[in-house]
């Protein structure tokens, strides 16, 4: 809405200029009657549907449900596609394209006659990319997440996306599982519409959205296959029209308070480490100061309440039936900003009032938590001057304080070439170090930080080692894995200087990560260090390498930080 209360879309659809004629005439070829073009909020439905993003494969139906709600509330819905990022297929990593997709979202929203936006999000990066883009325009915005798949079912037990893949893979390599069993498990794991049903990154993002107040309350955990997911989409269509009339912009909801709530809720649900890099980028777009240490300060003293894989045993379907995110918010009410605004134009205290837990094994109470003090720990030390992170709830308690010799892989190809070499000198005390997987180095900061253990250790029953890299790991993964080391090795961070056999000390309680090599020796290694070969000379990837920021500030492109608003002050036609 403009300051005069006029709809933004009226500049296109109510204009008497040639531009108005063109805007109305050409869209009328879709059969829209004339009355839709006056005094109706035009709602963009930003759809990340793609057959290349299987987790979002049901989004055309969800979009139709949103349209029902928009029409019912007196709006005019116009659906548009944006770049979709599917974890299962895209190479080398969707993270390389998160910022590109955000540019698509931002420019499409700004350039078109939209008054409000519904973001349809599901697979991991489709949530942060769309929110980042929407932040930079700042119209009234509501998120509809697509929901998770039903629980995987394999030979009489529940199996979780990703989490059980890593286990099956280790079992296969250790000879505990046959290739036929491995193949059978594929269809058993992914048996309905929806995203990964563990508390992986997609579910983490859905919970983040609800904690930020950006969706219809209770929306994060509804399974994709449950009819209540469609109902939620319909209600979001209703609500976005009202939000336009109330002029409730994204920046009215997405605030420092709501971001702090999201960090705390993430600790309690055992959410993915990927939340850190995405929330930093979202805050950067909105111009809200947020530092890596805020995640530790706000989240690490909180207990884990939600017993979901990979930190626990249950899955998103169970989480929904137990009461979902509203229960978690109510359990944390003494810690959260319960006065934080939501898309309902009501505070969190009001929209979650009356939340009831139906299964305390799945969602524990704050007085009797599932695990004490978890969250995400931020590490500092000479190996990560600008920080690194670890997820204690997914790590092995006996490795949380550890000193061991480094086994260094110079890049991902070196890792693949040598990990199962019988001559590799590695044992259960070793610290695996992987270089070259940061934002610039890979490029794109892939989810390889939870690198698989060598076969010879798996056969001995070893299931975890301390692993350190400048990359990320899947939200479905687990292990004593130190991630997001900054500055990354490709720009000469200390990680680049680690040699085989150097002693590394990890002390999570003390928040330290130390390379036990004298400063003078590190200086002489740096003097002869050569940066890796640049992996792109043209196109988007070349631009990405030139402009991507480090993980500790969100890995956004430097020129995308901040917002430009919704005004376009020049017309298409003379
Ligand atoms: Fe899409 Fe996990 S692969 S959510």
């Amino acid at each position: 809405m403009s300051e005069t209360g006029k709809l933004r879309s009226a500049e296109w659809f109510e204009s008497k200029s040639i531009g108005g004629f063109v805007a109305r005439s050409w869209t009328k070829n879709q059969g829209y009657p004339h009355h839709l073009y006056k005094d109706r909020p035009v709602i963009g439905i930003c759809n990340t549907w793609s057959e290349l993003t299987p987790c979002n494969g049901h989004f055309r139906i969800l979009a139709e449900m949103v349209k029902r709600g928009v029409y019912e509330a007196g709006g005019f819905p116009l659906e548009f596609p944006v770049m979709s990022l599917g974890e299962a297929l895209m190479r080398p990593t969707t993270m390389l394209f998160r910022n590109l997709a955000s540019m698509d979202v931002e420019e499409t929203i700004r350039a078109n006659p939209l008054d409000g936006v519904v973001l349809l999000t599901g697979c991991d990066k489709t949530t942060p990319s769309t929110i980042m883009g929407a932040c930079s325009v700042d119209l009234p915005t509501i998120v509809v997440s697509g929901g998770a798949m039903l629980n995987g079912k394999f030979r009489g037990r529940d199996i979780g996306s990703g989490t059980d893949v890593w286990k099956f893979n280790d079992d296969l390599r250790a000879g505990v599982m046959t290739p036929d069993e491995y193949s059978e498990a594929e269809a058993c794991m992914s048996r309905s519409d929806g995203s990964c049903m563990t508390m992986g990154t997609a579910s983490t993002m859905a919970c983040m959205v609800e904690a930020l107040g950006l969706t219809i309350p209770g929306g994060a955990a509804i399974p994709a296959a449950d009819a209540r997911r469609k109902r939620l989409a319909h209600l979001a269509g209703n609500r976005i029209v009202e939000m336009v009339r109330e002029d409730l912009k994204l920046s009215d909801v997405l605030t420092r308070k709501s971001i702090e709530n999201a960090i705390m809720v993430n600790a309690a649900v055992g959410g993915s480490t990927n939340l850190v890099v995405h929330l930093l980028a979202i805050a950067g777009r909105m111009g809200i100061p947020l530092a890596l240490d805020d995640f530790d300060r706000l989240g690490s003293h909180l207990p884990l309440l939600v017993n979901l894989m990979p930190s626990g045993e249950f899955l998103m379907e169970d989480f929904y039936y137990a009461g979902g995110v509203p229960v978690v918010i109510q359990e944390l009410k003494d810690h959260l900003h319960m006065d934080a605004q939501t898309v309902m134009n009501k505070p969190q205290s009001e929209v979650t009032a009356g939340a009831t837990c139906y299964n305390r094994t799945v969602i524990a109470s704050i007085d009797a938590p599932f695990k004490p003090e978890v969250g995400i720990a931020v590490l500092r030390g000479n190996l990560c001057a600008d920080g690194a992170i670890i997820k204690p709830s997914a790590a092995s308690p006996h490795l949380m304080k550890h000193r061991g010799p480094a086994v260094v892989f110079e890049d991902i190809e070196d890792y693949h070439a040598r990990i199962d070499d019988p001559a590799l000198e590695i044992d259960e005390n070793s610290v695996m170090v992987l270089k070259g997987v940061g934002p610039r180095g890979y490029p794109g900061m892939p989810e390889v930080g939870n690198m698989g253990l060598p076969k010879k250790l798996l056969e001995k029953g070893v299931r975890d080692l301390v692993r350190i890299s400048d990359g990320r790991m899947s939200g479905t993964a687990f292990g004593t894995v130190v991630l997001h080391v900054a500055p990354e090795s490709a720009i000469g961070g200390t990680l680049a200087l680690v040699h085989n056999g150097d002693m590394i000390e990890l002390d999570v309680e003390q928040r330290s990560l130390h390379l036990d090599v004298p400063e003078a020796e590190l200086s002489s290694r740096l003097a002869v260090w050569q940066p890796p070969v640049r992996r792109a000379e043209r196109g988007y990837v070349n631009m990405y390498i030139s402009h991507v920021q480090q993980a500790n500030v969100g890995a956004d492109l430097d020129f995308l930080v901040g917002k430009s608003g919704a005004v376009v002050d020049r017309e298409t036609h003379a």
Side-chain angles (χ1 to χ4, degrees):
M1 295 270 243
S2 71
E3 281 170 12
T4 59
K6 220 170 166 216
L7 291 169
R8 179 175 182 268
S9 60
E11 290 185 22
W12 282 260
F13 288 149
E14 295 184 32
S15 168
K16 298 198 179 354
S17 69
I18 183 173
F21 179 97
V22 170
R24 290 185 298 275
S25 174
W26 263 258
T27 51
K28 281 180 179 176
N29 81 339
Q30 302 295 299
Y32 298 122
H34 190 74
H35 70 268
L36 289 182
Y37 293 84
K38 191 159 171 52
D39 293 334
R40 284 185 178 244
V42 178
I43 305 301
I45 303 173
C46 174
N47 200 342
T48 54
W49 171 85
S50 168
E51 287 181 343
L52 297 173
T53 306
C55 308
N56 300 13
H58 56 302
F59 280 17
R60 288 194 287 190
I61 296 170
L62 276 186
E64 292 306 314
M65 300 302 124
V66 173
K67 287 178 193 172
R68 281 187 190 172
V70 171
Y71 279 124
E72 183 184 44
F76 179 11
L78 291 172
E79 181 185 351
F80 61 95
V82 289
M83 183 181 192
S84 186
L85 306 174
E87 296 297 313
L89 301 180
M90 287 190 97
R91 294 181 178 179
T93 168
T94 52
M95 186 63 178
L96 178 59
F97 307 111
R98 183 198 66 178
N99 304 332
L100 177 62
S102 78
M103 292 165 78
D104 179 357
V105 172
E106 174 183 346
E107 302 301 341
T108 305
I109 293 174
R110 183 180 299 114
N112 282 289
L114 303 178
D115 301 304
V117 184
V118 180
L119 307 175
L120 299 188
T121 71
C123 200
D124 300 11
K125 310 299 181 299
T126 57
T127 304
S129 61
T130 52
I131 295 177
M132 288 162 67
C135 282
S136 292
V137 188
D138 198 17
L139 292 178
T141 303
I142 194 167
V143 181
V144 174
S145 54
M149 289 185 275
L150 298 173
N151 291 2
K153 297 280 181 186
F154 178 60
R155 300 195 167 187
R157 69 180 181 91
D158 283 1
I159 56 172
S161 317
T163 303
D164 276 297
V165 178
W166 320 127
K167 288 179 183 161
F168 290 160
N169 199 44
D170 284 351
D171 287 348
L172 183 73
R173 294 172 71 219
V176 177
M177 191 176 196
T178 68
D180 283 349
E181 289 169 331
Y182 191 72
S183 174
E184 182 189 336
E186 288 173 7
C188 300
M189 181 169 285
S190 309
R191 65 189 185 92
S192 81
D193 284 336
S195 51
C196 292
M197 84 302 269
T198 44
M199 187 52 78
T201 303
S203 300
T204 296
M205 290 292 102
C207 294
M208 176 192 80
V209 160
E210 190 163 346
L212 287 169
L214 291 179
T215 192
I216 300 289
I222 304 172
D226 193 308
R228 287 166 285 189
R229 174 66 55 190
K230 293 178 182 158
R231 178 175 168 272
L232 175 106
H234 184 127
L235 295 175
N238 287 162
R239 185 62 205 137
I240 187 65
V241 175
E242 294 164 2
M243 287 173 68
V244 171
R245 293 192 169 124
E246 294 161 0
D247 201 22
L248 186 66
K249 295 189 295 299
L250 185 50
S251 57
D252 296 321
V253 179
L254 212 166
T255 60
R256 172 76 193 193
K257 281 184 181 178
S258 68
I259 283 177
E260 291 192 356
N261 284 350
I263 292 171
M264 290 187 267
V265 167
N266 191 59
V269 302
S272 163
T273 48
N274 284 319
L275 172 114
V276 177
V277 73
H278 297 324
L279 203 49
L280 284 164
I282 289 168
R285 293 297 183 96
M286 199 51 102
I288 298 170
L290 186 66
L292 190 58
D293 291 323
D294 289 329
F295 291 83
D296 200 325
R297 183 177 59 78
L298 292 163
S300 62
H301 65 286
L302 291 172
L304 179 63
L305 302 182
V306 177
N307 181 1
L308 254 59
M309 297 181 198
S311 300
E313 60 181 304
F314 295 100
L315 295 165
M316 285 299 283
E317 206 183 326
D318 309 303
F319 185 37
Y320 179 55
Y321 303 145
V325 172
V327 172
V328 177
I329 289 176
Q330 278 296 319
E331 287 294 334
L332 294 176
K333 65 177 186 290
D334 292 339
H335 301 272
L336 300 181
H337 303 286
M338 295 302 281
D339 60 342
Q341 177 65 293
T342 72
V343 289
M344 306 307 289
N345 212 358
K346 294 176 183 164
Q348 279 288 7
S349 57
E350 205 171 319
V351 302
T352 57
T356 305
C357 182
Y358 298 104
N359 188 338
R360 282 295 179 199
T361 311
V362 177
I363 310 175
S365 73
I366 191 122
D367 301 324
F370 173 47
K371 290 183 186 176
E373 296 195 359
V374 280
I376 285 166
V378 175
L379 306 172
R380 299 277 177 181
N382 67 342
L383 197 44
C384 53
D386 292 332
I389 62 172
I390 187 169
K391 182 177 175 182
S393 66
S396 301
H398 73 283
L399 291 173
M400 300 284 272
K401 183 175 164 77
H402 182 79
R403 178 182 165 89
V407 175
V408 177
F409 301 98
E410 292 297 329
D411 54 34
I412 196 71
E413 288 76 23
D414 184 33
Y415 165 78
H416 286 305
R418 295 195 297 118
I419 187 62
D420 284 334
D421 183 344
L424 182 69
E425 289 188 24
I426 190 166
D427 63 25
E428 56 269 39
N429 293 315
S430 300
V431 174
M432 294 170 70
V433 173
L434 177 58
K435 303 178 185 177
V437 294
R440 281 200 210 177
Y442 200 72
M445 204 186 174
E447 293 182 334
V448 296
N450 58 315
M451 55 194 130
L453 272 45
K455 191 173 173 189
K456 65 181 180 183
L457 291 188
L458 292 171
E459 287 171 344
K460 282 169 62 180
V462 177
R463 284 293 187 270
D464 196 9
L465 290 183
V466 174
R467 288 160 269 180
I468 300 171
S469 77
D470 41 14
R472 299 175 301 119
M473 78 172 176
S474 164
T476 63
F478 50 87
T480 311
V481 185
V482 176
L483 302 155
H484 304 195
V485 167
E488 66 174 296
S489 58
I491 61 169
T494 308
L495 189 68
L497 310 178
V498 183
H499 287 180
N500 275 316
D502 288 349
M503 295 305 288
I504 293 178
E505 294 170 352
L506 168 68
D507 188 336
V508 177
E509 193 179 332
Q510 294 300 314
R511 302 295 193 259
S512 72
L513 181 65
H514 182 69
L515 178 64
D516 194 4
V517 173
E519 200 55 44
E521 169 64 15
L522 289 178
S523 296
S524 44
R525 288 183 191 179
L526 183 60
V528 295
W529 175 79
Q530 292 289 325
V533 173
R534 190 180 179 95
R535 292 188 62 85
E537 293 298 335
R538 65 161 299 281
Y540 167 74
V541 178
N542 186 37
M543 182 177 77
Y544 175 93
I545 294 170
S546 297
H547 291 280
V548 70
Q549 299 183 314
Q550 290 294 286
N552 61 304
V553 290
D556 202 356
L557 302 185
D558 50 15
F559 61 86
L560 290 175
V561 174
K563 55 183 170 177
S564 310
V567 174
V568 187
D569 58 5
R570 287 191 163 172
E571 286 225 34
T572 315
H573 300 89

